[in-house]
Amino acid sequence: MAKPVPAPLSVAVIGAGWAGCAAAMELARAGHAVTVHEAARTLGGRARKVELDGTMLDNGQHILLGAYRETLRLIKLSGQDPQALILDLPLQMRYPEGSGGMDFVAPRWPAPLHLAWALLRTKGLARADKVALLRFSSAMRWMGWQLYNDCTVSELLQRFDQTERLTALMWRPLCLAALNTPPERASARVFVNVLRDSLGARRRSASDMLIPKTDLSALFPEAAARYVERHGGQVRLGAKVQVLHALADGRWQLDDTDAYDRVVLATSSSQAASLLASAGEPAVDAVIAQLQAFTHEAISTCYLRYDGTVRLGLPFYALADAPAQAHWGQFVFDRGQLDARQAGLLAVVISASGAAAAQGHEALALAVAAQLAQVLHMPQLAQPAWTQVITEKRATFACTPDLPRPGNATGLPGLVLAGDYTAGDYPATIEAAVRSGVQAASLVCQIKTAGTKA
């Protein structure tokens, strides 16, 4: 006899960031009745579009990696064409010419030949710097890109005798960009995980740097919402959930309205802690404590508008940050090379930006403009026609050594977590959020088929 087809579950996904959208898509694809509840009016969570003065910006300029396999898979599944929406560049760390930096760019050759050639041709590094980089990458490959005992990134680099210049021009900016945590406080194990899947990957394309041409909400969250709706689900904006009630029949009630068979909490860690606490179940006290223990780091993006004829030599440059000199910028992006409608718009990213943001928006924008004018040798950049600084104060958790992170399971039947803060190899990135959402959806489906508790 054929097995009976199980009835679909009603599933509430609370939060429409990238984790929530990933979970909702996977659940809808599996045939469940999905309802997404998002408190904001814009999809995307901490990676979303923002409209200011008639200009569509992002709340933070992002670079994706070719290693982000789940993100790219779901973008395609949602009906989007990554090749049309993303600028695909080979691995590079290129500073403006004459700024005292380096010029490292990999050819599109098979791995690891592309890295060997890039290092051989790199300008701005001495022989000792290149030998140090080779020593580090060789040691990591020999160790299988695994650290059994965690430490800070700074301690790891010292252990392998990385030079001061290589650290300043390569490792520090990579650590800040990937973990949004300064090397002296960042987890070496998580940093090595990122390097393993990019620099150490067998596929050269995994190390590619992918820059969205469209706004972040349009890249995936809005397409994910359309996918969910096409599969019979609902997406409710401006729908903030404040209380969870466990019902006697095993379902969950949101506030005093709808009840669902399963719930995916895809909010921030602090909001998830609040919602779990509202359930009044002692079984989740340990998870709540983990969620409340996170500390956070800010990311600031400074947008500067110039005449439409202003164009940089490359789509983006690395910048040497020097707070003592009021040089806060770490990367600058020419938005006009991503979208012709934004010609003359530059975006400067400052990771772990607490000290920079404390300068105030106006002072920070002026300092960034002065930095660009100096290092790019373009005096006109000192006087932008318009500036806007967007700071996400709780952009990511501080990714410190041996940081306890909760799993997707909460300990309560039918209630799971999704978010970039859950246990995994990656720091708080878009890929970490998407992977967590996919895992949460898988866990919901396992509960359904096996009758296990989450």
Side-chain angles (χ1 to χ4, degrees):
M1 295 178 60
K3 289 184 178 181
V5 178
L9 294 169
S10 61
V11 185
V13 177
I14 304 176
W18 289 61
C21 287
M25 274 191 65
E26 289 290 87
L27 289 164
R29 186 167 70 98
H32 300 301
V34 179
T35 303
V36 180
H37 300 255
E38 170 54 50
R41 295 289 179 179
T42 303
L43 300 169
R46 283 169 287 124
R48 68 187 186 281
K49 68 181 179 183
V50 177
E51 185 173 357
L52 293 169
D53 292 340
T55 301
M56 194 63 70
L57 308 173
D58 289 318
N59 69 321
Q61 177 67 53
H62 281 66
I63 295 181
L64 312 181
L65 292 177
Y68 286 8
R69 62 180 188 276
E70 286 296 276
T71 300
L72 295 172
R73 177 181 70 84
L74 287 187
I75 288 175
K76 292 178 182 177
L77 181 63
S78 71
Q80 302 280 70
D81 179 4
Q83 292 185 337
L85 299 176
I86 296 174
L87 177 63
D88 186 339
L89 298 173
L91 175 68
Q92 55 193 269
M93 187 66 74
R94 312 187 74 176
Y95 290 78
E97 187 175 355
S99 67
M102 69 175 188
D103 190 25
F104 174 97
V105 56
R108 296 188 187 275
W109 292 1
L113 293 178
H114 68 310
L115 294 180
W117 182 254
L119 186 58
L120 179 66
R121 301 285 292 179
T122 295
K123 299 177 182 178
L125 291 183
R127 182 177 182 277
D129 305 319
K130 296 181 179 182
V131 170
L133 178 54
L134 282 173
R135 179 170 56 247
F136 180 85
S137 59
S138 298
M140 288 298 108
R141 289 181 187 277
W142 180 79
M143 295 166 60
W145 298 94
Q146 295 185 62
L147 289 182
Y148 295 104
N149 297 309
D150 206 358
C151 61
T152 68
V153 170
S154 292
E155 289 169 339
L156 178 70
L157 298 177
Q158 291 170 6
R159 187 182 306 168
F160 289 94
D161 298 319
Q162 298 302 281
T163 64
E164 183 177 343
R165 182 168 178 78
L166 180 64
T167 297
L169 296 180
M170 174 73 84
W171 299 131
R172 174 179 166 79
L174 284 180
C175 179
L176 284 170
L179 276 65
N180 194 37
T181 308
E184 57 270 19
R185 293 192 286 109
S187 166
R189 180 185 291 132
V190 176
F191 184 55
V192 169
N193 289 342
V194 175
L195 296 179
R196 175 198 65 204
D197 291 349
S198 53
L199 297 180
R202 294 182 179 180
R203 294 184 303 110
R204 186 273 311 158
S205 59
S207 66
D208 284 356
M209 308 180 88
L210 312 179
I211 309 177
K213 298 179 183 179
T214 185
D215 67 76
L216 291 172
S217 293
L219 180 61
F220 173 65
E222 292 175 351
R226 293 193 294 269
Y227 181 96
V228 169
E229 291 171 341
R230 287 199 304 270
H231 286 74
Q234 300 180 52
V235 178
R236 300 176 181 175
L237 300 181
K240 184 174 182 178
V241 177
Q242 302 187 61
V243 180
L244 295 176
H245 301 282
L247 302 178
D249 61 2
R251 295 185 300 157
W252 289 91
Q253 187 177 46
L254 277 54
D255 295 329
D256 295 320
T257 56
D258 303 330
Y260 297 89
D261 297 319
R262 305 287 185 264
V263 174
V264 178
L265 289 183
T267 64
S268 68
S269 57
S270 59
Q271 291 170 318
S274 177
L275 285 168
L276 285 176
S278 74
E281 299 284 349
V284 294
D285 287 350
V287 176
I288 292 173
Q290 281 187 316
L291 295 172
Q292 293 175 333
F294 285 118
T295 58
H296 294 85
E297 297 280 356
I299 298 178
S300 297
T301 303
C302 180
Y303 291 96
L304 306 100
R305 168 75 74 185
Y306 299 95
D307 182 88
T309 60
V310 170
R311 183 182 176 90
L312 304 186
L314 297 172
F316 82 100
Y317 285 103
L319 303 172
D321 62 331
Q325 303 173 33
H327 283 196
W328 301 102
Q330 296 155 359
F331 291 92
V332 57
F333 295 79
D334 185 346
R335 297 287 305 177
Q337 296 191 45
L338 305 172
D339 182 347
R341 295 169 296 182
Q342 295 189 352
L345 180 65
L346 304 183
V348 177
V349 177
I350 309 168
S351 297
S353 65
Q359 308 302 306
H361 285 188
E362 183 177 355
L364 180 57
L366 290 175
V368 167
Q371 177 186 3
L372 293 180
Q374 177 181 337
V375 301
L376 290 165
H377 308 289
M378 299 173 67
Q380 69 271 32
L381 298 186
Q383 296 182 323
W386 171 92
T387 65
Q388 180 66 50
V389 176
I390 300 176
T391 297
E392 280 286 326
K393 294 182 179 179
R394 298 167 66 88
T396 69
F397 62 85
C399 191
T400 53
D402 289 318
L403 178 69
R405 296 163 63 177
N408 293 97
T410 64
L412 295 178
L415 185 61
V416 302
L417 295 174
D420 58 15
Y421 57 82
T422 59
D425 287 349
Y426 278 14
T429 58
I430 281 177
E431 176 70 1
V434 170
R435 289 189 186 187
S436 181
V438 170
Q439 180 62 31
S442 175
L443 189 55
V444 167
C445 293
Q446 290 171 23
I447 297 167
K448 171 181 180 292
T449 56
T452 58
K453 292 185 178 182

